[in-house]
Amino acid sequence: MTTAESASDPLPRTTATSFHGARRNSAILVTGAAGEVGHGLIQSLAAAGRRDVVAIDVRKPDRSLRDVCQETYVGDICDGSLLTRLLAMYEITEIYHLAALLSTRAEFTPETAHEVNVGGTLNLLRLAAEQARSHGQRVKFIFPSSIAAYGLPDLATKDAAGVVTEDQHLRPVTMYGCNKLYCEHLGRYYARHYRRLAQDRIPDAVDFRCLRYPGLISADTVPSGGTSDFAPEMIHAAAAGRPYACFVRPNTRIPFMTMPDAIDATLQLAAADGRKLSRLVYNVSGFSASAGAIADLVKGFFPGAAIAFEPDEQRQSIVDSWPADVDDSAARRDWSFEPQYTLQSAFEEYLVPTIRARYAG
Ligand code: AKB
């Protein structure tokens, strides 16, 4: 699909841009702000001079975030009254909706995951549509989806599939994957068809842009609640001098990406010329690597690392349902996506130096 209009095309206004007589501040809204991606994304926005970020998380964002945001809120994206307050207080031009319960955590409380991952996203899409209606500009909605949206039925199919495109093998086996795939569809609905029979509908009010993250590896934070977490856990454990029992087999392969590349990709997609976007959902990846190859690299850089492989059958089956690699040629073509790091350079230039410094002393 091609986005015919540019992001700044005006839409009809239906309400005044004031709240109790006061002008509302323009804002970029970031949900899941205190999480791994949120943290880095807000710092990057601040480094680019953006001081209009309004951040929400269920946990209190730390000082370094509070210092660079216009405002931070401790709150739940399922809380309709919080979102109504935001609608009244700010003119939101862009939403980075990062809050989610990840794949492992979601399997323990699938209904709660659905409430947060789907209900929360629906609330925010609606907020975006209402914002567009109130201030007369399209609202950009940047949504990270995940390789969890894929679902390969068995290892033979995974091996035969190799590199998968955005539209193949979309039969997720986790609640998180189902939630992400459905939210991709919701995004398309809000972008293209929202209230399609209503007399007063505003076409194209939400400029939905989605990228499917692979497993992410950050030198600064250890993730929790995901199933691709074995890679960052292995690296951080080695640097901290702790033994690590990897919960998947050494030959388990999925795509990964460093956190800086994920943040750059997210900001690049947000900044891309809408007329060049041929899709709403894009794969992105840095490199495809097996758990064994990652362990070998970790041992090369941290010779004392004690890494054992003790596969957990259930978590293994989740990772086995994810593709070994993804085709990100559409992102490269449409918005010049180009990750900075290969597997080797990620270790040499980013992970090892930063993690060593973090655990030194
Ligand atoms: C998870 O493991 O749930 C996430 C993901 C692959 O989206 N890191």
Side-chain angles (χ1 to χ4, degrees):
M1 259 173 284
T2 306
T3 308
E5 297 80 9
S6 88
S8 56
D9 284 342
L11 300 165
R13 282 172 195 240
T14 55
T15 59
T17 56
S18 66
F19 173 56
H20 297 318
R23 205 175 159 72
R24 298 182 302 177
N25 283 348
S26 171
I28 296 179
L29 181 66
V30 179
T31 73
E36 277 206 294
V37 182
H39 218 274
L41 186 87
I42 291 173
Q43 296 297 353
S44 291
L45 286 167
R50 299 303 301 249
R51 291 301 157 108
D52 53 348
V53 170
V54 169
I56 314 185
D57 202 291
V58 284
R59 292 161 295 173
K60 186 172 176 181
D62 66 27
R63 186 68 200 250
S64 67
L65 286 188
R66 297 203 302 277
D67 284 349
V68 296
C69 287
Q70 172 177 185
E71 196 58 78
T72 58
Y73 292 90
V74 178
D76 186 343
I77 52 169
C78 297
D79 175 359
S81 64
L82 172 63
L83 298 184
T84 306
R85 265 171 65 209
L86 293 176
L87 179 65
M89 290 169 69
Y90 300 102
E91 278 198 8
I92 296 170
T93 53
E94 281 174 48
I95 297 176
Y96 293 82
H97 174 34
L98 311 176
L101 255 67
L102 299 184
S103 56
T104 289
R105 184 155 303 151
E107 287 313 300
F108 291 99
T109 54
E111 292 77 16
T112 306
H114 187 277
E115 268 167 43
V116 174
N117 295 348
V118 175
T121 303
L122 189 67
N123 285 344
L124 284 148
L125 283 164
R126 184 173 174 188
L127 176 76
E130 287 180 9
Q131 279 282 336
R133 177 182 288 271
S134 88
H135 59 56
Q137 299 289 329
R138 307 179 75 195
V139 172
K140 267 187 201 165
F141 195 102
I142 313 302
F143 181 68
S145 181
S146 161
I147 49 163
Y150 292 105
L152 293 130
D154 49 51
L155 279 176
T157 313
K158 174 166 172 161
D159 288 345
V163 182
V164 302
T165 67
E166 282 87 351
D167 301 320
Q168 295 175 309
H169 300 289
L170 297 172
R171 292 182 71 85
V173 302
T174 60
M175 177 53 100
Y176 171 71
C178 293
N179 295 162
K180 285 292 185 187
L181 184 58
Y182 177 59
C183 288
E184 292 179 7
H185 289 303
L186 280 180
R188 183 170 43 79
Y189 170 73
Y190 272 78
R192 302 277 178 256
H193 311 292
Y194 183 52
R195 300 178 74 238
R196 61 185 306 140
L197 299 183
Q199 294 278 331
D200 62 344
R201 89 178 275 262
I202 299 176
D204 301 324
V206 179
D207 182 3
F208 180 80
R209 302 178 180 201
C210 170
L211 66 175
R212 282 196 197 132
Y213 287 156
L216 300 183
I217 311 180
S218 168
D220 298 311
T221 47
V222 190
S224 73
T227 322
S228 62
D229 293 359
F230 61 88
E233 282 174 0
M234 198 185 284
I235 303 165
H236 281 263
R242 289 192 309 266
Y244 183 69
C246 181
F247 57 83
V248 294
R249 292 182 311 268
N251 66 352
T252 307
R253 178 184 288 275
I254 55 169
F256 287 100
M257 192 182 212
T258 63
M259 190 59 75
D261 276 338
I263 289 165
D264 284 353
T266 308
L267 292 171
Q268 266 178 323
L269 176 60
D273 179 348
R275 288 165 301 193
K276 297 204 171 134
L277 301 182
S278 61
R279 324 179 44 88
L280 293 177
V281 177
Y282 287 93
N283 282 337
V284 286
S285 173
F287 44 84
S288 161
S290 69
I294 294 173
D296 289 345
L297 268 168
V298 171
K299 285 185 209 151
F301 285 102
F302 301 97
I307 301 171
F309 285 89
E310 294 174 14
D312 171 285
E313 206 184 313
Q314 288 307 323
R315 292 182 95 188
Q316 178 75 59
S317 70
I318 292 176
V319 186
D320 285 346
S321 77
W322 296 346
D325 203 354
V326 291
D327 176 356
D328 59 14
S329 55
R332 290 174 188 265
R333 184 192 61 229
D334 289 0
W335 43 279
S336 309
F337 166 66
E338 200 177 342
Q340 198 184 334
Y341 296 108
T342 61
L343 174 62
Q344 187 69 30
S345 71
F347 270 80
E348 280 170 9
E349 295 164 26
Y350 165 61
L351 293 168
V352 174
T354 319
I355 289 182
R356 274 212 176 111
R358 178 187 154 109
Y359 291 99

